[in-house]
Amino acid sequence: MKQFMQFLKDSPVCFYAVKNLKSMLQESGFEQLALHEPWSLQENGKYFVTLWDSACIAFTIPDDMQQVKAPLYRLIGAHTDQPCLRIKPCAQINQNGYCKLNAEIYGGPIFSTWLDRPLSLAGRVTLKSEDVFHPRTELVNIKKPVLIIPNLAIHMNRGVNDGLALNAQVDMLPVGALIPNLGEEQEQMVLRAVAEQLGVNQEEILDFDLFTYVTEEPQIVGFHDEFLSASRLDDLVMVYTAAAALTQAKGGTGINVLCAFDHEECGSRTPQGAGTSTITYIMEKISYALGRSREQFIDDIMQSFMISADVAHAVHPNHPEKHDPVMKTQLGGGPVIKLAAAQSYVTQSCDYGVYEMICQKAGVPVQKFTNKSDSRGGSTLGPVIAANLPCHIMDMGIALLSMHSARELMAVADYEYTKKSFLEFYQQ
């Protein structure tokens, strides 16, 4: 758990999640491959590729490819991004003595949870280079609290406790400075901070992908230390447990794969997202490098099995009426299989039954979740992946409270339960 909490702390945005995932894999003997070069894969080999700095596909080859058993590919898919605020290119707004940042909403955050919290910025910066088709990129993390979104005082908003409607363009702009403190460079606050952090001239910066994050560290909570309160549990808890299982798994009879996609929170329809053919192309490249025919590859795909690993809803202590009257998923009750008749979660008993048996073998409790029948729930990676990867897929996750809040809550026990189930999956 301590290692996971450190991973959360060190991964304020998707780019750093992939950077730290890369380090974790390399420390376990994984070799990085280039997408645009031929691959030479060996039995018992461990490999990974990164996609646009914000997604990662890692895989291991079994000891003896002659002894593999269907499903050949055993995949776990999760995502590296989280709801937050993204800074617009023309970032600075100077009004009424304050310097604010022009921001837009990324994904579906709970607006009110971002108010009155110390915030910082992290992301990717694109810099000039000699080759116009290959600009330089650097990751940047301001690290210290530099922003805050102040609430309107109750004296000026008497109905605030009766229900609060926040406007993304008006109420969600973070303050970063007082104008008198900016000096002559009133339009350069963000660029100046980024340039100083990277040790480059402002003129070298072409543009950036910068996101806000909460600076408060992950914290164990509860009279019996049973809870973890942290930002970005959705979905870094699934990324990390899958990566930990992949690096520790031994003796499996298939190709184990971790797919850490980006952009799930805004639809997945990007080259590094789950809604494109990228993972299928990577699996075909693996198949070709192992000398398998096109027909074998198609057969392998159809028989493969993916666990779509995203977080799930726990029954709320103050609002049990929002949940199904019977299936009330508990924190600490083990991983959650997610079901939906509308297929917003990929639902087939022949597939989620597989995961139930895996949990039984691992000695792990397992739960099931469905939305209340008169409520529309969310969706996740499973249905998106199924459009391009026609294999066996089931949706599951760790139960959370406060999903999409600036800080979310999970049970410590569910971390170990889920990791054990993933290990059992990979070692079958």
Side-chain angles (χ1 to χ4, degrees), residues 219-402:
Q219 192 167 6
I220 299 295
V221 178
F223 284 107
H224 304 288
D225 297 331
E226 59 261 76
F227 303 116
L228 173 62
S229 170
S231 300
R232 304 178 293 281
L233 292 176
D234 179 7
D235 191 32
L236 293 188
V237 64
M238 308 310 300
V239 170
Y240 190 85
T241 49
L246 182 69
T247 57
Q248 295 171 24
K250 300 181 186 302
T253 57
I255 298 173
N256 294 332
V257 185
L258 164 64
C259 307
F261 297 109
D262 191 10
H263 296 142
E264 190 275 343
E265 299 293 357
C266 58
S268 296
R269 295 178 183 88
T270 63
Q272 60 268 55
T276 59
S277 300
T278 302
I279 181 58
T280 309
Y281 293 150
I282 289 174
M283 292 168 68
E284 186 170 9
K285 202 170 172 74
I286 295 171
S287 184
Y288 181 81
L290 293 174
R292 299 178 76 78
S293 68
R294 174 70 178 176
E295 184 177 12
Q296 284 178 308
F297 168 68
I298 293 172
D299 292 343
D300 293 338
I301 287 290
M302 300 297 287
Q303 296 184 81
S304 292
F305 196 102
M306 171 173 271
I307 295 174
S308 165
D310 204 348
V311 290
H313 295 289
V315 62
H316 196 281
N318 300 328
H319 291 282
E321 76 281 358
K322 295 292 185 180
H323 299 262
D324 181 89
V326 177
M327 303 173 72
K328 295 182 177 180
T329 311
Q330 301 289 323
L331 292 182
V336 180
I337 296 170
K338 301 191 290 187
L339 316 174
Q343 297 300 294
S344 52
Y345 305 129
V346 183
T347 308
Q348 297 188 78
S349 63
C350 58
D351 291 335
Y352 67 75
V354 171
Y355 186 66
E356 285 188 89
M357 289 191 291
I358 285 168
C359 288
Q360 289 172 8
K361 281 179 168 288
V364 168
V366 64
Q367 308 179 82
K368 294 178 183 176
F369 170 86
T370 62
N371 291 297
K372 194 179 178 188
S373 297
D374 57 1
S375 300
R376 177 178 170 268
S379 188
T380 186
L381 292 166
V384 175
I385 294 168
N388 295 293
L389 189 67
C391 65
H392 297 272
I393 305 177
M394 58 81 59
D395 284 304
M396 57 74 64
I398 283 177
L400 293 190
L401 290 172
S402 307

Side-chain angles (χ1 to χ4, degrees), residues 17-28:
V18 169
K19 177 178 181 284
N20 295 320
L21 187 58
K22 175 180 174 179
S23 297
M24 182 179 178
L25 293 167
Q26 288 176 325
E27 289 172 3
S28 297

